[in-house]
Amino acid sequence: MAPLPFLTIAAASLLSYRNAVAIEPRQSSSQYTYVNLAVNTGTSVHRASGVLYGVPDVQGQIPSSFYTGMGFNYLSADRLLTTCFAVVLRQTRFLEIVSNYETARSYGAQFILKMSDIWGADGTQATTAEWPGDNGSYTEFDRFLAQLVSDVKANSMTAGLKILIWNEPDLGTAFWYPGFTRYLAMWNHAVTYLRTNLPGVPIAGPGFAKPPSTSNSWWTGWLSNIKSSGTAPDIYDWHLEGDISSSVDDLQTTQPVLVSMLESYGLVVGEFIIDEYGTSGEQVPSGAAWWISRLERFNMYGIRGNWASGAQLHDFLAGLLGKTDVNSATGTGYFANGEYNVYHYYATTMTGYRVQTTGSTDRLMDCYAVVDSNTVRILVGGRLTTGTYELVIESISSLGLATSGTITVHTYQFAYAGVYTASPMTDLGTVAHTYTGNTLSFPIYQTSTTTTWAFEFPF
């Protein structure tokens, strides 16, 4: 059993009694994460509930309750489907894409179609494979684009659709071999073609693996190109799945950087999406809560990274579920793991309006908070960290409460036992906290890198 959060001496005594856990001396906190109840930041729409792949080809294989329970609102997907495939195989593969699209739309979710994977650039292609613009010719690429447009229209797929031109072209030669100059030419060609032949469908890009930076030549060169050629996307998207110890792999750094870069190139600051977020190690309750907090603060939709392979890649809602036989592509018997329970709490319980939050200065602890008609709910999350942090809740009087007194806080624990192992949310009961100066605060003893908590109190 994971260690429990000891909120105060009184709380520790209560939890110790109920769970037979010994009380240990605790370090005082030097890092703080804040909630300001007086600042309304808008209605909760659960921006972190997107999924990369993770959806089976058979509609209804995963019960609907798991989709609605995690607030499913974005799917980014594709199938390997090159123009050189036999017609029957090509049609079969595209029907798999259609199935995923229809699943997404049945829940009101948006759908990002990764065009490069359909071309065949999925990381397994040979360096001798055909690429757009080979020998100065776009004939084959235009055939591909024409077929894609035809298939999208024939299957009534334009509603809620976004097209990502190319996935991670900057990641060495894994997904794009011909080099940067050819990439820019392909980008311009594809955007021009799609805007002419599929008007009204938003284009997303660049889909870079590396985050925006003024020292990254792919980003600066691409921004210069889209400005001069008039091929800016409707949605700016990139991935954050790198070094969790680096400030660069953090929305707190990269979102303001991209805003500044767009302004410096005279480009419109539009919608931002993180098309793949979270390393495999971060896909635990604490990491999920940390990413939820970041994405909500910056009003950005996020799509969970997917670190599975083979048939498991298109299943399990990108690592949130298990089932009876995890090696069966068509098997059922699904159940929630510990990380899923965080998204379920986030999507189904954290309703109302969001309030202002601030993460810790070490960037490793954060929180997300909402207020409904009579309850405050706060989800905290550490980025694979341990240590003592303080949760500080300011402006208590904005709820109509006194500036000092006692508040009874209800605590829930989200533990993790593995990606294919069930781990229910645990109700840890209530503890009465005294507060003064219009501020309630208590420590979070983060003794596990994977476990996290939610706190609630009525008003």
Side-chain angles (χ1 to χ4, degrees):
M1 181 175 180
L4 302 180
F6 296 82
L7 307 181
T8 62
I9 294 299
S13 300
L14 173 64
L15 296 178
S16 162
Y17 172 78
R18 293 176 59 184
N19 298 283
V21 176
I23 303 172
E24 299 176 2
R26 298 292 181 174
Q27 218 173 6
S28 60
S29 56
S30 60
Q31 291 286 332
Y32 303 85
T33 181
Y34 294 89
V35 176
N36 188 337
L37 297 172
V39 182
N40 182 331
T41 60
T43 303
S44 173
V45 295
H46 311 115
R47 295 176 180 273
S49 294
V51 170
L52 174 66
Y53 311 123
V55 172
D57 298 333
V58 178
Q59 294 183 42
Q61 180 174 313
I62 295 177
S64 61
S65 60
F66 288 109
Y67 290 97
T68 56
M70 58 88 63
F72 177 64
N73 55 28
Y74 247 106
L75 176 62
S76 182
D78 58 66
R79 282 299 189 276
L80 179 65
L81 194 159
T82 64
T83 53
C84 61
F85 280 156
V87 173
V88 173
L89 180 55
R90 185 193 62 76
Q91 290 174 341
T92 300
R93 291 290 176 83
F94 198 80
L95 288 176
E96 294 169 353
I97 296 173
V98 173
S99 175
N100 279 184
Y101 170 82
E102 290 177 345
T103 294
R105 296 304 295 155
S106 71
Y107 296 101
Q110 304 294 299
F111 188 85
I112 296 178
L113 183 61
K114 292 180 181 286
M115 192 178 79
S116 55
D117 284 20
I118 301 175
W119 171 267
D122 69 340
T124 65
Q125 73 287 341
T127 56
T128 55
E130 184 170 2
W131 297 91
D134 274 356
N135 301 313
S137 173
Y138 283 92
T139 300
E140 187 65 16
F141 192 46
D142 283 341
R143 284 184 55 215
F144 166 80
L145 291 170
Q147 186 65 62
L148 177 63
V149 169
S150 175
D151 288 340
V152 165
K153 290 180 177 179
N155 289 281
S156 303
M157 291 177 65
T158 55
L161 178 68
K162 281 87 174 168
I163 293 182
L164 175 64
I165 299 296
W166 214 269
N167 183 57
E168 296 187 339
D170 60 326
L171 192 62
T173 58
F175 304 110
W176 179 258
Y177 187 74
F180 181 59
T181 301
R182 281 272 299 279
Y183 164 73
L184 295 180
M186 179 279 299
W187 171 274
N188 293 342
H189 190 94
V191 170
T192 301
Y193 188 100
L194 292 172
R195 287 208 166 127
T196 299
N197 295 281
L198 204 58
V201 173
I203 291 171
F208 287 166
K210 304 296 184 182
S213 168
T214 56
S215 61
N216 184 310
S217 60
W218 276 79
W219 273 99
T220 56
W222 179 75
L223 289 171
S224 177
N225 168 75
I226 63 173
K227 175 61 177 178
S228 62
S229 63
T231 57
D234 303 286
I235 299 163
Y236 290 91
D237 87 313
W238 67 97
H239 301 172
L240 286 175
E241 299 172 303
D243 181 1
I244 67 171
S245 65
S246 170
S247 63
V248 174
D249 198 61
D250 186 343
L251 278 180
Q252 186 167 291
T253 300
T254 59
Q255 193 270 359
V257 164
L258 184 54
V259 169
S260 176
M261 291 175 73
L262 291 174
E263 291 173 343
S264 71
Y265 283 94
L267 291 161
V268 174
V269 178
E271 182 180 1
F272 294 172
I273 294 177
I274 300 301
D275 193 9
E276 300 180 24
Y277 74 82
T279 65
S280 58
E282 289 181 285
Q283 292 191 338
V284 294
S286 57
W290 186 90
W291 276 106
I292 287 167
S293 303
R294 284 310 208 237
L295 289 162
E296 289 287 350
R297 178 173 304 120
F298 290 99
N299 294 312
M300 290 174 59
Y301 282 97
I303 295 169
R304 288 172 48 79
N306 191 331
W307 299 95
S309 60
Q312 293 176 342
L313 183 67
H314 299 279
D315 204 349
F316 305 110
L317 296 180
L320 291 177
L321 306 176
K323 63 181 178 182
T324 307
D325 182 357
V326 298
N327 295 310
S328 171
T330 58
T332 55
Y334 289 92
F335 54 84
N337 65 25
E339 189 186 13
Y340 178 91
N341 293 326
V342 173
Y343 285 92
H344 184 266
Y345 180 85
Y346 164 60
T348 64
T349 306
M350 300 191 78
T351 58
Y353 64 89
R354 302 173 300 167
V355 290
Q356 184 183 76
T357 61
T358 305
S360 61
T361 56
D362 68 0
R363 302 181 302 100
L364 297 178
M365 181 62 68
D366 212 338
C367 63
Y368 170 62
V370 296
V371 179
D372 65 14
S373 59
N374 58 14
T375 305
V376 174
R377 294 182 172 89
I378 303 167
L379 178 66
V380 299
R383 198 176 195 188
L384 303 184
T385 189
T386 59
T388 303
Y389 292 82
E390 190 86 5
L391 177 62
V392 181
I393 306 164
E394 302 174 318
S395 304
I396 299 292
S397 63
S398 66
L399 303 174
L401 299 175
T403 58
S404 63
T406 301
I407 288 177
T408 300
V409 177
H410 203 145
T411 302
Y412 298 90
Q413 175 182 272
F414 302 90
Y416 191 67
V419 64
Y420 299 130
T421 304
S423 184
M425 179 180 76
T426 303
D427 184 343
L428 298 181
T430 61
V431 173
H433 294 267
T434 58
Y435 70 97
T436 60
N438 211 19
T439 299
L440 166 66
S441 67
F442 48 81
I444 303 166
Y445 296 109
Q446 191 71 38
T447 58
S448 162
T449 59
T450 61
T451 301
T452 204
W453 299 276
F455 305 105
E456 301 180 358
F457 61 87
F459 63 90

